[in-house]
């Protein structure tokens, strides 16, 4: 009979540990497929350490060991172990309260333990409310404290804090309350059944032992700061520790058994996920992008952005952020099965992105455009996914890794494709009212923004600007060329059609086919240009290969002093050659007047770019201001004198 009681006690505690692992899996499987063998081993070894180490240090080892094999790492493991122990704290407190109310066992010890757990629970509950109501201050404090350390420690602190916040939130929202309560109640029923059978086993030695004596031994207040072995020495007057050897066997044997069982468990569960989708604790794979996101979150800025961002991206992994000079974000992502590009934006920018999506759908079949794998549009955001092709490369990289003539051949084919397709759709003469609106909003308004910007206030006092030691006329010197009457003359022969609207080098993607032939497709149209002339597309190409926009984007530092702007500008010979090819092509196919119009549209593209750079890039806006002046100098040198002479004659 005694052996049967001991066997039953060991069986039920093993079963309770198994249910604990199952409950632990509930927390983890919100974010990833649990690795059960790893969890069993981590639990067993952690509890063995708790038997000999104080302050429940075994739980730290348990989280560390489990996190090593988790996709989301140790931050997820630590947060789930804390959640597991938090539920234990509530459960143990409830049991002590019930024992105290009914006056069973060592009433003084149980009463004080009940009070202790009530206080701890109340403190944690109050802390949770304070964190919720003052979450902004809490996040900023965490951000400040983490920022004291180096980037690696800062990232670890912020990621663990993030994991705790979102893990508790997702556990509450994603796991059924009844299911969680049922699993917890079943687990503790098994523990209590085990304590009861073991107490009966100890009673068979002559001194009556109650199950609550074992419960008290394990969870008395001192048990939180001491090892299980030390706690036994504090309770020498309790009958339960009259047989320390049996108690030690009872505590250790089940852990050894489940540890052995874990070795028999398959290394990886063989069953497939069957379409099961998981949230990412953090979607970013790149450490620097992850840290930037965490710093933004804990700075308590753009709360709604974070919420919508996670709603869109929490079920994918972000490999790399390819965002450039717009308010929309483009990322290379994967979802466990496919790799793809996702582009998204919020608010008004989301509405603009939806227009882009509609443009792609409307013009698929006329020109080579990306397929749309998935899309979603709400009042708050818009996103769409495009396929990733490992044989694809942006035209910028293509022209700098292949012979220049190959790059020009792609550009020429793109232009001929556009000229033979969408540029023949909805063709009409330029409308004076739209031209006025275009000049007013894209030229005059942006010039005013640039000249009145606090960043450029000192610079506007000078007639010339020294850019890397070379003197250029300042913006005000070009006012005569940017007046409405002058631009009306420049654009008077423009025609309207369906256009791409943002035909930069980086929006042309080159592909290598199975037969070795190079091809292309075009991404990221911008339908909202008012003055929908194909000349705008040519001007965008010039902004790249004439103005060197991509090289300005890669410049890291800029120094300014009065009217001096100095930076490292590595303009490539490939761009110089491509500009020659493009200019010759335009002059041969379009003639002087249309080519001049295209170059002036390039100037306007730079003017449109500046307010965004002033707002977003801070001091780096000087780079683009310098690029704008260099382009203006070239264009006015080519066409300015003749243009002013004609205006004077007219």
């Amino acid at each position: 009979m005694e052996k049967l009681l001991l066997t039953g006690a060991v069986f039920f505690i093993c079963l309770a540990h198994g249910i604990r692992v199952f409950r632990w899996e509930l927390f983890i499987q919100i974010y990833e497929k649990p690795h059960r063998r790893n969890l069993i081993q981590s639990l067993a070894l952690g509890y063995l350490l708790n038997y000999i180490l104080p302050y429940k240090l075994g739980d730290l080892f348990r989280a560390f060991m489990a996190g090593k094999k988790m996709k989301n790492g140790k931050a997820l493991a630590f947060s789930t172990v804390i959640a597991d122990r938090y539920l234990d704290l509530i459960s143990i407190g409830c049991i002590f309260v019930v024992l105290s109310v009914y006056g069973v066992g060592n009433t003084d010890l149980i009463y004080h333990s009940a009070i202790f757990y009530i206080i701890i629970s109340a403190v944690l509950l109050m802390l949770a409310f304070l964190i919720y109501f003052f979450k902004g201050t809490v996040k900023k404090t965490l951000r400040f404290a983490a920022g004291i350390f180096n980037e690696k420690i800062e990232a670890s602190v912020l990621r663990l804090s993030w994991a705790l916040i979102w893990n508790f939130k997702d556990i509450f929202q994603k796991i059924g309350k009844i299911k969680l309560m049922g699993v917890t109640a079943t687990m503790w029923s098994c523990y209590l059944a085990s304590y009861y059978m073991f107490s009966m086993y100890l009673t068979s030695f002559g001194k009556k032992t109650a199950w609550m004596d074992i419960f008290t031994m394990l969870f008395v207040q001192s048990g939180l700061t001491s090892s299980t072995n030390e706690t036994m020495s504090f309770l020498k007057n309790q009958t339960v520790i009259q047989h320390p050897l049996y108690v030690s066997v009872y505590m250790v044997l089940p852990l050894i058994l489940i540890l052995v069982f874990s070795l028999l468990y398959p290394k990886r569960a063989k069953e497939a996920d069957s379409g099961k989708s998981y949230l990412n604790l953090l979607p970013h794979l790149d450490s620097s992008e992850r840290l930037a996101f965490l710093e933004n979150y804990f700075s308590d800025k753009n709360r709604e952005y974070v919420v919508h961002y996670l709603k869109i991206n929490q079920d994918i992994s972000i490999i790399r952020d390819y965002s450039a000079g717009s308010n929309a974000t483009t990322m290379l992502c994967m979802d466990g099965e496919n790799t793809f590009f996702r582009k998204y934006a919020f608010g008004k920018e989301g509405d603009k992105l939806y227009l882009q999506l509609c443009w792609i759908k409307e013009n698929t079949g006329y020109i080579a455009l990306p397929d749309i794998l998935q899309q979603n549009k709400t009042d708050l955001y818009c996103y769409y996914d495009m396929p990733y092709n490992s044989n694809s490369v942006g035209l910028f990289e293509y022209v700098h890794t292949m012979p220049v003539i190959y790059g020009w051949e792609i550009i020429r084919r793109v232009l001929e494709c556009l000229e033979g397709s969408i540029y023949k759709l909805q063709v009409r003469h330029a409308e004076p009212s739209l031209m006025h609106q275009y000049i007013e909003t894209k030229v005059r308004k942006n010039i005013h923004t640039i000249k009145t910007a606090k960043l450029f206030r000192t610079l506007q006092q000078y007639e010339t600007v020294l850019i890397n030691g070379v003197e250029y006329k300042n913006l005000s010197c070009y006012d005569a060329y940017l007046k409405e009457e002058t631009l009306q003359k420049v654009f008077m022969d423009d025609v309207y059609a369906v256009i791409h609207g943002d035909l930069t080098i980086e929006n042309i993607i080159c592909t290598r086919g199975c037969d070795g032939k190079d091809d292309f497709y075009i991404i990221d149209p911008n339908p909202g240009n008012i003055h929908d002339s194909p000349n705008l597309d040519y001007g965008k190409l010039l902004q790249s290969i004439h103005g060197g926009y991509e090289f300005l984007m890669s410049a890291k530092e800029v120094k300014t002093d009065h009217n001096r702007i100095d930076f490292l500008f590595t303009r490539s010979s490939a761009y110089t050659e491509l500009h020659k090819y493009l200019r010759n092509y335009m002059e041969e196919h379009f003639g002087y007047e249309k080519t001049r119009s295209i170059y002036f549209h390039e100037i306007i593209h730079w003017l449109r770019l500046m307010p965004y750079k002033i707002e977003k890039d801070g001091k780096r806006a000087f780079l683009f201001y310098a690029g704008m002046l260099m382009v203006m100098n070239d264009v006015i040198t080519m066409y300015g004198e003749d243009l002013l002479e004609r205006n004077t004659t007219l």
Side-chain angles (χ1 to χ4, degrees):
M1 183 62 180
E2 289 81 5
K3 291 181 180 179
L4 187 60
L5 288 170
L6 181 60
T7 301
V10 170
F11 170 78
F12 274 106
I13 202 169
C14 286
L15 182 59
H17 288 333
I19 297 173
R20 181 181 292 278
V21 170
F22 175 74
R23 188 178 71 173
W24 194 8
E25 287 182 359
L26 293 179
F27 305 155
I28 295 169
Q29 68 185 9
I30 298 172
Y31 306 101
E32 61 183 76
K33 183 176 179 62
H35 185 187
R36 186 168 295 169
R37 176 175 176 169
N38 177 45
L39 299 184
I40 295 172
Q41 292 176 347
S42 300
L43 180 78
L45 293 175
Y47 276 25
L48 281 171
L49 289 176
N50 279 342
Y51 183 74
I52 58 176
L53 296 177
Y55 297 103
K56 303 300 180 186
L57 293 176
D59 285 331
L60 294 179
F61 177 83
R62 169 187 165 194
F64 178 82
M65 182 177 177
K68 288 173 66 176
K69 294 187 179 180
M70 286 185 183
K71 182 186 70 173
N72 287 284
K74 301 179 185 68
L76 176 61
F78 276 106
S79 65
T80 53
V81 167
I82 291 172
D84 179 68
R85 283 310 197 183
Y86 179 74
L87 290 179
D88 282 349
L89 192 69
I90 295 173
S91 302
I92 294 167
C94 290
I95 295 172
F96 269 123
V97 169
V98 171
L99 292 176
S100 179
V101 168
Y102 284 94
V104 295
N106 186 330
T107 53
D108 286 342
L109 189 58
I110 289 176
Y111 173 76
H112 287 101
S113 296
I115 294 298
F116 170 75
Y117 278 97
I118 289 173
I119 293 173
I120 289 293
S121 299
V123 168
L124 291 176
L125 186 62
M126 187 180 300
L127 183 62
F129 276 113
L130 288 174
I131 290 174
Y132 177 78
F133 286 110
F134 299 98
K135 50 182 174 285
T137 302
V138 172
K139 286 193 288 188
K140 290 176 183 178
T141 302
L142 286 169
R143 167 75 179 86
F144 174 79
I148 296 173
F149 304 98
N150 60 43
E151 282 193 1
K152 186 175 181 180
I153 297 176
E154 179 190 9
S156 297
V157 172
L158 294 182
R159 193 175 186 195
L160 177 58
S161 301
W162 168 271
L164 283 170
I165 293 169
W166 285 89
N167 192 223
F168 272 90
K169 185 175 181 179
D170 286 333
I171 286 172
F172 181 78
Q173 292 180 344
K174 308 294 183 184
I175 302 176
K177 312 301 182 298
I178 295 176
K179 181 178 182 179
L180 186 58
M181 291 174 62
V183 171
T184 301
T186 303
M187 180 186 76
W188 278 104
S189 296
C190 290
Y191 278 128
L192 295 179
S194 175
Y195 302 155
Y196 176 78
M197 298 184 78
F198 187 62
S199 68
M200 294 291 290
Y201 173 74
L202 293 180
T203 300
S204 67
F205 288 96
K207 287 191 177 181
K208 181 174 178 57
T209 304
W211 68 267
M212 65 280 298
D213 296 331
I214 299 173
F215 182 81
T216 303
M217 176 195 74
L218 294 174
F219 302 112
V220 73
Q221 178 178 342
S222 59
L224 297 179
T225 57
S226 306
S227 66
T228 306
N229 192 43
E230 289 175 327
T231 304
M232 290 167 58
S233 66
F234 298 152
L235 303 171
K236 290 182 178 179
N237 60 328
Q238 299 289 314
T239 57
V240 68
I241 50 86
Q242 299 296 318
H243 307 282
L245 178 60
Y246 293 115
V247 174
S248 297
V249 170
Y250 170 68
M251 298 300 302
V252 173
L253 180 60
L255 300 175
I256 295 175
L257 289 175
I258 65 172
L259 192 59
V260 171
F261 172 77
S262 72
L263 298 176
L264 303 176
Y265 202 84
K267 289 186 177 181
R268 287 285 177 188
K270 294 181 180 179
E271 63 272 14
D273 286 351
S274 14
K276 169 76 174 176
S277 62
Y278 301 101
L279 301 179
N280 273 315
L281 190 61
L282 272 172
H284 309 82
L285 296 182
D286 182 81
S287 57
S288 60
E289 291 177 7
R290 186 188 305 130
L291 178 58
F293 175 79
L294 288 171
E295 287 178 336
N296 177 60
Y297 173 77
F298 283 98
S299 296
D300 199 39
K301 298 176 181 178
N302 302 321
R303 290 186 185 179
E304 289 200 3
Y305 166 82
V306 172
V307 173
H308 301 324
Y309 177 91
L310 291 174
K311 186 174 182 179
I312 295 173
N313 300 318
Q314 205 173 7
D315 59 347
I316 63 171
S317 295
I318 300 170
I319 300 172
R320 183 178 172 188
D321 191 332
Y322 280 90
S323 303
S326 73
N327 287 317
T329 300
T330 304
M331 308 174 302
L332 180 62
C333 313
M334 61 183 183
D335 61 5
E337 296 181 1
N338 302 304
T339 303
F340 55 92
F341 288 101
R342 172 165 291 180
K343 188 165 186 179
Y344 68 88
F346 301 111
K348 292 181 179 180
E349 297 300 325
D351 295 335
K352 289 176 62 177
L353 187 64
Y354 183 66
L355 293 177
Q356 182 182 104
L357 174 62
C358 293
W359 191 97
I360 292 174
K361 290 186 172 184
E362 289 169 2
N363 293 284
T364 296
Y366 293 107
I367 57 176
L369 295 168
D371 294 329
I372 304 300
L373 302 176
Q374 182 177 244
Q375 67 178 73
N376 193 8
K377 172 69 172 74
T378 71
D379 293 337
L380 301 173
Y381 61 81
C382 175
Y383 76 84
Y384 64 86
D385 297 341
M386 302 171 286
Y388 166 75
N389 184 345
S390 59
N391 292 325
S392 300
V393 63
L395 184 55
F396 177 83
E397 184 175 342
Y398 185 88
V399 300
H400 289 95
T401 55
M402 302 289 285
V404 176
I405 190 64
Y406 285 31
W408 166 246
E409 179 64 18
I410 292 289
I411 294 174
R412 184 188 62 78
R413 288 173 56 196
V414 169
L415 296 176
E416 289 179 352
C417 175
L418 294 171
E419 292 285 352
S421 58
I422 62 172
Y423 290 171
K424 291 184 176 181
L425 300 176
Q426 303 176 27
V427 178
R428 60 205 186 278
H429 290 293
E431 300 176 23
S433 61
L434 291 179
M435 193 182 301
H436 167 75
Q437 185 182 353
Y438 175 69
I439 295 170
E440 186 63 29
T441 58
K442 308 300 183 183
V443 181
R444 304 310 308 165
K445 183 179 178 181
N446 289 332
I447 289 175
H448 176 75
T449 300
I450 296 167
K451 287 185 176 182
T452 57
K454 184 178 180 181
L455 190 68
F456 298 140
R457 190 171 297 166
T458 301
L459 199 60
Q460 298 306 313
Q461 300 173 9
Y462 297 91
E463 187 174 336
T464 60
V465 178
L466 289 172
I467 302 173
N468 295 330
V470 179
E471 189 173 43
Y472 293 88
K473 292 179 179 179
N474 207 349
L475 178 58
S476 58
C477 296
Y478 300 109
D479 284 346
Y481 304 97
L482 299 175
K483 289 181 178 180
E484 179 164 353
E485 55 267 30
T486 304
L487 294 177
Q488 287 272 4
K489 300 299 181 183
V490 173
F491 301 146
M492 64 183 299
D493 294 327
D494 285 6
V495 295
Y496 290 169
V498 175
I499 65 171
H500 180 275
D502 195 15
L503 197 66
T504 59
I505 284 286
E506 58 194 7
N507 285 339
I508 300 172
I509 308 300
C510 302
T511 60
R512 175 63 60 89
C514 298
D515 56 359
K517 294 182 179 179
D518 298 341
D519 209 341
F520 68 89
Y521 64 93
I522 307 172
I523 62 172
D524 295 355
N526 177 23
N529 289 281
I530 304 173
H531 186 75
D532 290 326
S533 168
N535 293 358
L536 269 72
D537 282 348
Y538 285 90
K540 272 291 185 180
L541 268 179
L542 285 173
Q543 188 178 24
S544 289
I545 61 180
H546 175 221
Y549 172 79
E550 288 77 20
F551 288 101
L552 289 174
M553 284 290 291
S554 65
K556 300 299 181 184
E557 295 184 4
V558 57
K559 297 180 180 178
T560 61
D561 182 26
H562 297 287
N563 69 329
R564 293 184 62 93
I565 303 175
D566 296 303
F567 58 95
L568 182 62
F569 189 30
T570 54
R571 193 167 185 166
S572 71
S573 59
Y575 265 19
T576 302
E577 290 297 312
L578 288 174
H579 180 224
K580 290 179 182 177
Y581 281 123
L582 180 58
R583 185 177 178 187
N584 290 337
Y585 176 89
M586 293 188 299
E587 290 177 346
E588 179 182 344
H589 287 77
F590 305 144
Y592 178 86
E593 302 289 342
K594 184 171 180 177
T595 301
R596 182 186 63 188
S597 170
I598 290 170
Y599 274 101
F600 269 83
H601 281 300
E602 182 196 1
I603 290 177
I604 295 176
H605 287 318
W606 284 96
L607 291 172
R608 293 171 65 176
L609 174 71
M610 287 309 304
Y612 176 85
K613 293 300 180 184
I614 292 169
E615 180 184 356
K616 300 291 185 181
D617 276 17
K619 191 175 180 180
R620 290 189 76 249
F622 283 101
L623 292 168
F624 302 95
Y625 187 85
M628 179 186 69
L629 293 185
M630 289 189 286
V631 165
M632 286 182 172
N633 176 78
D634 281 358
V635 174
I636 300 307
T637 298
M638 289 187 287
Y639 300 107
E641 185 176 350
D642 177 55
L643 182 62
L644 288 187
E645 286 179 357
R646 292 188 179 202
N647 281 344
T648 302
T649 303
L650 293 171

